[in-house]
Amino acid sequence: MVKLVHLADLHAGKLTAKTLDRNEDLLHALEQVYDFVKEERPDYLVVAGDIFDKRRPDSESSKLVGDFFVRVAALGTKVLAAAGNHDGSGFLDMFTPWSRRWGVRIFPRLNTKELVYADGEVAFAVVPFVSERAITELSEGGADARVRYAEKMRKLLTYAAERVKGFKYRFLVAHLFFARSKVGKTEQEITVSDAYAVDQSALSEVFHYAALGHVHRHQRLEFAPAPAYYSGSLYQLDFGEEGQDKFFNFVVVENGRTSVRPIKLSLLRELRKVVLKRGEDAKKVLEREKRPNLYLWVEVEASSPQEFTLRRSLAERILGENLLKVTVRWKDTSSRSLFRRRNDGRSVEDLRDPLKMYREYCLTALGRKPDPRTEELIRELLQRVGV
Ligand SMILES: [Mn+2]
């Protein structure tokens, strides 16, 4: 019998909306994983890529991850961690000389010579993220390059299955995008194109389990011959993951049969987008949404810049640090006509008044009050050119 815990997409060092440090959320999740490992004592803990959010992580994030790996290994559970597209191979190289000593194996890049990590009767084929560029030449570009990428990755996975065939327990660890998986907004942003997606049939039934990373929504790959899962991220990384529950997987292989149990994580913080509709009592809506653990993106419906500014500052006042982002959605003809006027050039007089244009730009496009210093500068310039 082999027992393993599968997680992925830690994204240590993640900032949400460029401001909110998520390492507390990560630590909250990893503590739950640690408690589970301590209880169940799996043979392996597998991390399927995107250990860090940045190629060169800050020291706090490195320490957080390093501590977790060493603590898990100290329980007698071997740690295997492969690089994702967010990880820097060069940075992960730094871990490798000493981590092995502690029962922690890091795979910073694809190594076809050492594709398989063998441990007695158990074999892991490890496929860290391979960039599209590494496989297809840049000059080729276009559809051809995408087909070549998908084809080569498929061949690589077939080769990987071949290499583990002789072992009693056979696993795949990969950071890769598979076609027909359910994607959150986050991955769409980071993946070059759906066309690079590898067909799920490449996940050979030779594998008892495929531990995958890259897509942040927890799911089983329905069309794969092998039991294959994206375990998903460990906390809602950004607004594309709004409303998603988060998991890691507990996998047991016994007598050639695989059982998979998703373990739901409690979340330290949740993200939500709220639309402040016109005619709604904004204060009431905002007060209803105000909770210590809920972080919001407020989209304000407004018919005028003044209305937007007013509702925006109301949101700031009520939500404080729980407000991560504010955007505007113009709702009325009056504001649309404002744009129309500019676009079809009907109001040439506006062009004669740069100060007015600047103010309008601030209120409509930026959604904030004009800066008095900039206004002063414009006045000064106008005077200089004699307007
Ligand atoms: Mn990721």
Side-chain angles (χ1 to χ4, degrees), residues 9 11 49-50 85-86 175 190 214 216 237:
D9 295 279
H11 286 268
D50 283 357
N85 54 309
H86 278 249
H175 194 88
I190 59 167
H214 195 42
H216 291 171
L237 282 158

Side-chain angles (χ1 to χ4, degrees), residues 102-145:
W102 297 94
V104 177
R105 289 207 169 233
I106 310 279
F107 301 84
R109 61 179 67 70
L110 181 71
N111 181 342
T112 44
K113 284 196 195 90
E114 288 175 37
L115 188 66
V116 174
Y117 164 67
D119 188 26
E121 296 180 306
V122 186
F124 289 90
V126 185
V127 181
F129 181 74
V130 181
S131 77
E132 286 83 359
R133 257 189 269 172
I135 283 197
T136 59
E137 278 155 41
L138 270 173
S139 54
E140 285 180 297
D144 185 42

